[in-house]
């Protein structure tokens, strides 16, 4: 599996750094991609970066909510591994962009 990074060159919405896709190269998902990941700059004193996962929005009593499409079966650390993979790929993308410029 590889992570493809698409930078957010427009700066809109504020804080969004890039979109990411997971491209599968082996197994039953070979030739497919999973889209809908985004990398964000965290606001406030914490700083750092976060990753949002693919989700679907719906409305309940006029309130917008979202339903995560990629969820753990049992091991909640599984999401952390994917999040770390996406952040590592973005870090590598930034390094290459810095070298190219």
């Amino acid at each position: 599996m590889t992570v493809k990074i698409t930078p957010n060159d427009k700066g809109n919405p504020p804080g969004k750094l890039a979109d990411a896709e997971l491209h599968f190269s082996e197994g039953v998902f070979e030739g497919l991609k999973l889209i809908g990941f985004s990398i964000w700059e965290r606001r406030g004193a914490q700083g750092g970066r976060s990753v949002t996962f693919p989700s679907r929005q719906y409305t309940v009593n006029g309130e917008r909510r979202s339903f995560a499409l990629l969820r753990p079966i049992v091991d909640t650390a599984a999401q952390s591994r994917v999040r770390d993979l996406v952040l590592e790929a973005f870090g590598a993308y930034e390094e290459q962009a810095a070298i190219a410029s």
Side-chain angles (χ1 to χ4, degrees):
M1 174 177 58
T2 58
V3 180
K4 181 178 184 241
I5 302 293
T6 305
N8 181 22
D9 296 331
K10 298 174 186 170
N12 194 17
K16 184 176 179 182
L17 301 172
D19 288 310
E21 303 174 345
L22 302 183
H23 290 212
F24 298 96
S25 54
E26 295 182 18
V28 296
F29 292 116
E30 182 177 357
L32 298 173
K33 63 182 174 180
L34 180 59
I35 63 171
F37 297 90
S38 295
I39 301 138
W40 298 83
E41 192 71 49
R42 285 192 180 139
R43 290 183 254 169
Q46 296 176 1
R49 297 185 170 152
S50 64
V51 176
T52 55
F53 281 59
S55 63
R56 178 163 214 135
Q57 291 188 345
Y58 63 99
T59 304
V60 174
N61 297 327
E63 180 184 342
R64 285 176 53 172
R65 298 181 183 184
S66 62
F67 178 84
L69 298 175
L70 184 64
R71 300 185 295 167
I73 296 170
V74 176
D75 181 14
T76 56
Q79 279 188 319
S80 296
R81 290 191 299 270
V82 173
R83 185 174 283 111
D84 292 344
L85 179 69
V86 170
L87 289 173
E88 286 175 24
F90 184 69
Y93 171 83
E94 284 185 311
E95 287 178 15
Q96 280 194 320
I99 291 170
S101 59

